[in-house]
Amino acid sequence: MLQQKIPATVITGFLGAGKTTMIRNLLQNAGGKRIALIINEFGDLGVDGDVLKGCGAEACTEDDIIELTNGCICCTVADDFIPTMTKLLERENRPDHIVIETSGLALPQPLIAAFNWPEIKTQVTVDGVITVVDSAAVAAGRFADDHDKVDALRVEDDNLDHESPLEELFEDQLTAADLIILNKTDLLDAAGVLAVRDEVASRIARKPSMIEAKNGEVAAAVLLGLGVGTEDDIANRKSHHELEHENGEEHDHDEFDSFVVELPAIADPSAFIERLKGVIAEHDVLRVKGFADVPGKPLRLLIQAVGTRIDNYFERAWAAGETRSTRLVVIGLHDMDEAAVRAAIAAAV
């Protein structure tokens, strides 16, 4: 019976859409429900896990947070996700609900399909897939293409690649959704929000529910308890890459690169942030996230950048015995000049 299985919510969304903030709010307002959290990072530094472990939510202790780093969950289902789920289900105190945060570069579809594996399907069901959208980024045209022009070019040359990998990924995450959250709507006016709604709706044939949010503030009652059983409908939500697989092509993440930059302490955070914006703009960096050591401050500085929009705040105190350091994960397209970006960020300190 569906209701006897542990429900699992898959939360996906493009880089910097606000998934971690939304989950943190969820954990702090879970109403006593015991939640296990699986986080899949792209890159070597599990920043999101550190952020969530610092939230202090009784519903989700540090033992309930599992990080899968150095790989996209859609590519490592058999090696990483299935064993992780198996160990989780073997615990004496099993969770009431499982929340899975995918990397901003992950395809949700292979992960959802994994819930049909025999050892998983009898015990867990996908309560729903939630896709978080950065409304401000969409409004700025990051995924707004001239469809008429693209169609005209396609007629002229069918061999042209008219769609960027980022656009395909955005559409794949929308296609998988049972609920789409238009986050950061407070950064737009009413007309801007309506335009984003229309743009998102135009990207997919399916029409899942769509709600607006700011700062990732969505009630737990809205996020949990959808009761969809998405694993049974995954065949109707094929991604671009799955369709390519059917034609004998292989899926990879060669479109993206990530690396960790280690820096000295940041004496002037404001100046560093301003210079970092310039680095991001010059090298077309997609995402920067991490922590910084600011001399004289007992708290570590959290840095989260989506394009040139950078959020930073003092997140938590350095733990006893924790080495104060500055480490940033940089994510960009595969042709990003890593050496140049490293040098530019180091020069910004």
Side-chain angles (χ1 to χ4, degrees):
M1 296 291 290
L2 190 65
Q3 62 267 26
Q4 295 176 327
K5 298 179 181 180
I6 298 175
T9 298
V10 177
I11 298 179
T12 187
F14 196 67
L15 296 163
K19 301 185 299 294
T20 301
T21 300
M22 190 180 74
I23 293 173
R24 187 170 188 169
N25 290 334
L26 168 64
L27 297 181
Q28 292 175 330
N29 298 280
K33 184 173 293 187
R34 183 179 176 87
I35 296 176
L37 177 63
I38 298 176
I39 306 167
N40 178 218
E41 285 278 29
F42 185 87
D44 296 318
L45 181 61
V47 171
D48 288 351
D50 278 350
V51 171
L52 291 165
K53 287 175 182 177
C55 73
E58 295 181 1
C60 183
T61 67
E62 290 196 17
D63 290 337
D64 294 322
I65 299 176
I66 303 166
E67 290 181 82
L68 303 178
T69 60
N70 253 343
C72 165
I73 204 169
C74 67
C75 302
T76 60
V77 167
D79 293 336
D80 293 331
F81 176 67
I82 298 298
T84 295
M85 288 292 292
T86 300
K87 291 179 181 179
L88 187 61
L89 295 171
E90 289 174 349
R91 290 185 178 183
E92 182 176 351
N93 295 320
R94 304 211 315 176
D96 300 315
H97 203 108
I98 300 170
V99 173
I100 302 170
E101 179 192 4
T102 72
S103 157
L105 304 181
L107 299 178
Q109 286 84 346
L111 169 62
I112 300 163
F115 283 86
N116 285 310
W117 286 45
E119 61 266 46
I120 304 298
K121 188 173 181 63
T122 57
Q123 301 182 71
V124 185
T125 183
V126 181
D127 184 59
V129 178
I130 297 172
T131 299
V132 185
V133 173
D134 184 337
S135 299
V138 173
R142 292 184 68 85
F143 300 103
D145 297 317
D146 186 336
H147 294 291
D148 292 337
K149 183 177 180 180
V150 169
D151 288 338
L153 290 172
R154 186 176 287 112
V155 170
E156 294 174 10
D157 187 349
D158 289 335
N159 294 318
L160 287 178
D161 180 12
H162 305 303
E163 294 182 325
S164 70
L166 299 183
E167 181 180 14
E168 290 186 0
L169 176 58
F170 182 62
E171 292 177 354
D172 290 342
Q173 293 174 343
L174 294 174
T175 295
D178 295 300
L179 173 65
I180 296 174
I181 296 177
L182 302 180
N183 196 27
K184 307 182 184 180
T185 54
D186 54 309
L187 302 179
L188 305 173
D189 58 18
V193 173
L194 181 60
V196 170
R197 275 184 171 273
D198 291 342
E199 172 67 13
V200 170
S202 73
R203 292 287 176 170
I204 48 177
R206 294 177 58 253
K207 301 302 176 188
S209 299
M210 196 181 308
I211 65 173
E212 300 168 15
K214 60 181 181 179
N215 301 320
E217 296 172 356
V218 182
V222 174
L223 299 176
L224 308 182
L226 298 179
V228 177
T230 314
E231 70 273 18
D232 294 328
D233 188 53
I234 190 59
N236 296 318
R237 311 185 188 197
K238 291 183 179 179
S239 68
H240 288 278
H241 286 286
E242 286 176 297
L243 294 173
E244 290 169 1
H245 283 176
E246 292 178 354
N247 294 325
E249 298 180 32
E250 293 296 324
H251 161 56
D252 56 48
H253 280 292
D254 289 344
E255 300 100 335
F256 308 104
D257 281 335
S258 76
F259 54 89
V260 177
V261 178
E262 298 194 25
L263 301 168
I266 307 297
D268 188 342
S270 296
F272 174 72
I273 293 298
E274 286 303 312
R275 288 191 284 266
L276 184 60
K277 289 180 181 178
V279 174
I280 290 171
E282 180 180 354
H283 297 277
D284 199 23
V285 173
L286 296 175
R287 187 86 161 90
V288 177
K289 56 182 179 178
F291 303 104
D293 171 23
V294 180
K297 298 290 185 180
L299 307 179
R300 64 182 188 180
L301 182 71
L302 174 69
I303 297 174
Q304 298 267 23
V306 183
T308 56
R309 190 174 71 247
I310 303 179
D311 293 327
N312 66 100
Y313 58 89
F314 287 101
E315 181 257 347
R316 68 160 174 82
W318 293 97
E322 182 179 11
T323 301
R324 296 173 66 112
S325 61
T326 300
R327 303 187 75 204
L328 301 176
V329 175
V330 179
I331 302 174
L333 295 178
H334 76 283
D335 56 356
M336 175 175 55
D337 187 336
E338 178 179 338
V341 174
R342 283 183 178 277
I345 293 178
V349 175

